[in-house]
């Protein structure tokens, strides 16, 4: 996969200004949306993960745990 010079510049500028990588930022937005869905729907965690843009439930679980300090199931059960 080749990344154009312009795309590299955008990613670098984004990271430099916001102090977070573009991929981390996107993951945090996805996790926030998923957290809202966990509390407002009865959808399965797998469906929420996929509907939030995560490629798999394991990626979702790992990202959610990193951001919220608990699993999606724990989050749903505690709030």
């Amino acid at each position: 996969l080749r990344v154009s010079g312009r795309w590299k510049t955008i990613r670098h500028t984004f990271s430099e200004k916001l102090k977070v990588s573009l991929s981390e930022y996107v993951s945090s937005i996805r996790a926030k949306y998923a957290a809202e869905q966990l509390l407002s729907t009865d959808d399965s965690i797998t469906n929420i993960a996929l509907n939030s843009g995560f490629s798999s439930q394991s990626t979702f679980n790992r990202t959610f745990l990193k951001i919220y300090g608990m699993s999606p199931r724990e989050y749903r059960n505690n709030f």
Side-chain angles (χ1 to χ4, degrees), residues 23-43:
S23 62
E24 289 173 326
Y25 179 76
V26 170
S27 291
S28 72
I29 297 299
R30 289 176 175 161
K32 181 179 179 189
Y33 175 77
E36 293 168 359
Q37 296 302 299
L38 287 167
L39 299 181
S40 65
T41 73
D42 290 329
D43 288 352

Side-chain angles (χ1 to χ4, degrees), residues 10-79:
I10 290 168
R11 289 175 51 183
H12 176 76
T13 302
F14 187 94
S15 297
E16 188 176 83
K17 298 292 182 188
L18 296 181
K19 308 299 184 210
V20 64
S21 74
L22 183 57
S23 62
E24 289 173 326
Y25 179 76
V26 170
S27 291
S28 72
I29 297 299
R30 289 176 175 161
K32 181 179 179 189
Y33 175 77
E36 293 168 359
Q37 296 302 299
L38 287 167
L39 299 181
S40 65
T41 73
D42 290 329
D43 288 352
S44 71
I45 292 174
T46 300
N47 283 342
I48 290 172
L50 297 175
N51 291 336
S52 298
F54 290 93
S55 59
S56 69
Q57 187 172 346
S58 61
T59 300
F60 171 59
N61 288 339
R62 187 173 47 253
T63 302
F64 199 92
L65 180 63
K66 181 179 176 184
I67 293 171
Y68 289 94
M70 64 182 74
S71 72
R73 185 172 315 284
E74 290 171 318
Y75 186 87
R76 177 178 259 173
N77 291 337
N78 288 317
F79 297 98

